[in-house]
Amino acid sequence: MKDPVLSFVVLFFSLSVLVSQTIAGRVKAPLLQQSNTNGLVFSKSFNSIYDTSMYGRLQLNNGLARTPQMGWNSWNFFACNINETVIKETADALVSSGLADLGYIHVNIDDCWSNLLRDSKGQLVPHPETFPSGIKLLADYVHSKGLKLGIYSDAGVFTCQVRPGSLFHEVDDADIFASWGVDYLKYDNCFNLGIKPIERYPPMRDALNATGRSIFYSLCEWGVDDPALWADKVGNSWRTTDDINDTWASMTTIADLNNKWASYAGPGGWNDPDMLEVGNGGMTYEEYRGHFSIWALMKAPLLIGCDVRNMTAETFEILSNKEVIAVNQDPLGVQGRKIQANGEDDCQQVWSGPLSGDRMVVALWNRCSKPATITATWDMIGLESTVSVSVRDLWQHKDVTDNASVSFEAQVEAHDCHMYILTPQAVVSRSDV
């Protein structure tokens, strides 16, 4: 008979975080490495469930993106209807609302900021009517708020809205972005002349690095050529999907597509399923809560896509959930993933992932049209059956139980998502299981 004291002793595996903290970028090794072979917390299948074997293949040595980027992007709400006043007011709103303090620090201008033609010297110039003060003064304003300014260009001869692209102008454009004080570049994929992305995206990486300014490099290749398979050492994040739109069907489809590449993401480089639609009006509160939960669990960039100057209370509640944001920004940096799908059209889903401190995040996502009870078993999510855990509800902001064992379940409303942190407490005697 085992010593009963063991049932009160916390016996955890250590999750080794093989992450370089220097400008040298990511290490080419799995993020997870078992350091205890007794199997007291995590099961033997744990490392295969949360495979990170491809981590490090997409590595940009600029010291950025230790956690997924957070901020705001103009496109989803404003499209081409942008100007310097909107950008300034957005920066002000991020600060005054408290969102900046939660990590939303990137203020990213999307397409349509530039003039229709380059100047006589072949340089990009801001549109004189919508950005009359220029990007440098706008960047200075954003920086004065403690935020970072992002800009947009394209790895083609034109942007998607037919402004000048940066293909064959990489050095000049990177230099001017740096001279303006730009901190972030979203680099799109339109009008690319049929040239393979593997040939078009590295030159801008090299040009950005050569400026001597740390500029976050966000590849927007739409996942057409599966960037996880070719973008070796290219970007800080890479789009894995086509553009999102503000519908349940689009959001759920994109979540599934992004899930495929979970083993490639980690500190320094992240899978990007596109920007958030939370607050734009096309989905319900419950659907937006699921959208935000799954993006956070997948370690996706959290880039707000609504008008933060005019948020509803519900929108702010979702975007400002500190506990969900902490999952996204967890330093272990392992992308959570879909673990189980049951029911009609696989609509009852369990998503989960490991966190620092031997914790787990679990999302019970009901994509069905009616309420459902969804169960996460320890075997399913990679916990040993003998471990008991405390369970904290991240949307209710309360502890549900301090001694769940073998499994955990909840009734979830249609199109809603519950999100929990599981923290191992003790090993349960097998006679009690």
Side-chain angles (χ1 to χ4, degrees):
M1 183 175 179
K2 294 182 179 180
D3 187 342
V5 173
L6 286 176
S7 63
F8 300 97
V9 176
V10 180
L11 298 173
F12 300 139
F13 273 118
S14 294
L15 297 178
S16 298
V17 186
L18 305 179
V19 179
S20 170
Q21 297 298 319
T22 70
I23 193 120
R26 292 173 288 156
V27 295
K28 292 189 176 182
L31 286 169
L32 300 177
Q33 181 183 52
Q34 290 183 333
S35 60
N36 188 321
T37 59
N38 294 325
L40 295 172
V41 173
F42 301 113
S43 67
K44 292 180 180 179
S45 62
F46 181 81
N47 276 20
S48 61
I49 293 172
Y50 306 106
D51 175 32
T52 58
S53 62
M54 305 310 295
Y55 170 69
R57 287 190 58 175
L58 293 94
Q59 184 181 48
L60 176 61
N61 296 334
N62 64 359
L64 301 176
R66 309 315 306 169
T67 58
Q69 65 267 40
M70 294 177 62
W72 173 88
N73 178 282
S74 62
W75 185 257
N76 284 0
F77 184 84
F78 292 97
C80 265
N81 299 313
I82 55 171
N83 56 61
E84 63 184 41
T85 300
V86 166
I87 304 306
K88 287 181 177 180
E89 290 178 352
T90 296
D92 293 342
L94 288 172
V95 173
S96 63
S97 67
L99 289 173
D101 289 337
L102 297 177
Y104 295 99
I105 61 170
H106 291 283
V107 181
N108 293 342
I109 310 168
D110 211 283
D111 205 351
C112 304
W113 63 269
S114 70
N115 206 359
L116 295 174
L117 298 172
R118 292 175 178 269
D119 67 14
S120 60
K121 297 180 180 179
Q123 298 293 327
L124 290 172
V125 290
H127 196 285
E129 295 180 5
T130 52
F131 291 87
S133 302
I135 302 301
K136 176 66 170 68
L137 289 180
L138 184 57
D140 290 345
Y141 184 87
V142 170
H143 293 157
S144 75
K145 301 291 181 178
L147 305 174
K148 296 179 181 295
L149 184 75
I151 209 160
Y152 167 100
S153 190
D154 192 287
V157 293
F158 298 107
T159 72
C160 295
Q161 297 300 312
V162 202
R163 271 64 173 178
S166 292
L167 185 63
F168 310 129
H169 293 270
E170 292 87 355
V171 172
D172 283 347
D173 292 355
D175 285 346
I176 203 164
F177 294 154
S179 72
W180 289 340
V182 166
D183 305 293
Y184 186 112
L185 174 64
K186 175 182 174 181
Y187 206 41
D188 218 334
N189 194 36
C190 289
F191 297 100
N192 56 48
L193 303 183
I195 303 171
K196 289 290 186 182
I198 193 171
E199 299 175 28
R200 289 182 290 109
Y201 281 86
M204 181 57 82
R205 170 207 59 192
D206 296 340
L208 292 173
N209 284 347
T211 68
R213 182 174 181 82
S214 294
I215 298 177
F216 192 108
Y217 189 28
S218 170
L219 280 61
C220 185
E221 182 264 359
W222 319 323
V224 173
D225 280 18
D226 295 337
L229 302 179
W230 59 260
D232 183 27
K233 299 181 177 68
V234 178
N236 294 120
S237 65
W238 44 88
R239 276 278 293 279
T240 56
T241 70
D242 201 352
D243 289 357
I244 194 171
N245 60 60
D246 190 16
T247 65
W248 169 255
S250 173
M251 183 270 289
T252 53
T253 298
I254 280 177
D256 292 341
L257 291 171
N258 189 68
N259 182 61
K260 176 181 178 181
W261 306 107
S263 66
Y264 290 81
W270 308 99
N271 292 315
D272 178 5
D274 207 2
M275 297 155 312
L276 295 166
E277 290 283 7
V278 176
N280 281 331
M283 288 183 263
T284 67
Y285 170 78
E286 291 77 15
E287 290 167 348
Y288 280 140
R289 183 161 64 181
H291 178 19
F292 193 71
S293 297
I294 297 301
W295 260 236
L297 180 146
M298 292 194 297
K299 302 297 187 291
L302 296 182
L303 295 174
I304 299 170
C306 69
D307 184 358
V308 295
R309 305 170 304 171
N310 298 291
M311 290 181 291
T312 66
E314 284 188 343
T315 295
F316 181 76
E317 176 196 343
I318 292 171
L319 295 175
S320 64
N321 188 320
K322 294 180 181 180
E323 294 188 80
V324 176
I325 291 171
V327 169
N328 180 258
Q329 298 290 297
D330 183 76
L332 183 62
V334 176
Q335 178 173 325
R337 58 208 73 187
K338 186 193 298 184
I339 300 299
Q340 181 78 4
N342 293 314
E344 184 178 355
D345 296 324
D346 290 335
C347 62
Q348 300 174 27
Q349 300 187 355
V350 176
W351 294 60
S352 66
L355 301 173
S356 59
D358 296 322
R359 301 167 300 145
M360 301 283 293
V361 57
V362 174
L364 306 181
W365 197 14
N366 182 9
R367 289 161 57 165
C368 309
S369 58
K370 58 185 178 181
T373 298
I374 303 178
T375 302
T377 67
W378 282 194
D379 178 66
M380 179 194 304
I381 64 175
L383 288 176
E384 268 296 310
S385 61
T386 53
V387 70
S388 67
V389 302
S390 65
V391 180
R392 181 167 179 81
D393 188 318
L394 303 190
W395 286 107
Q396 296 297 319
H397 303 293
K398 66 180 183 181
D399 297 327
V400 177
T401 178
D402 62 0
N403 63 350
S405 59
V406 183
S407 67
F408 178 79
E409 68 178 29
Q411 176 87 355
V412 186
E413 295 300 314
H415 288 199
D416 202 357
C417 183
H418 292 192
M419 195 171 191
Y420 306 94
I421 295 289
L422 276 54
T423 304
Q425 298 298 303
V427 174
V428 181
S429 169
R430 290 190 182 275
S431 62
D432 296 332
V433 175

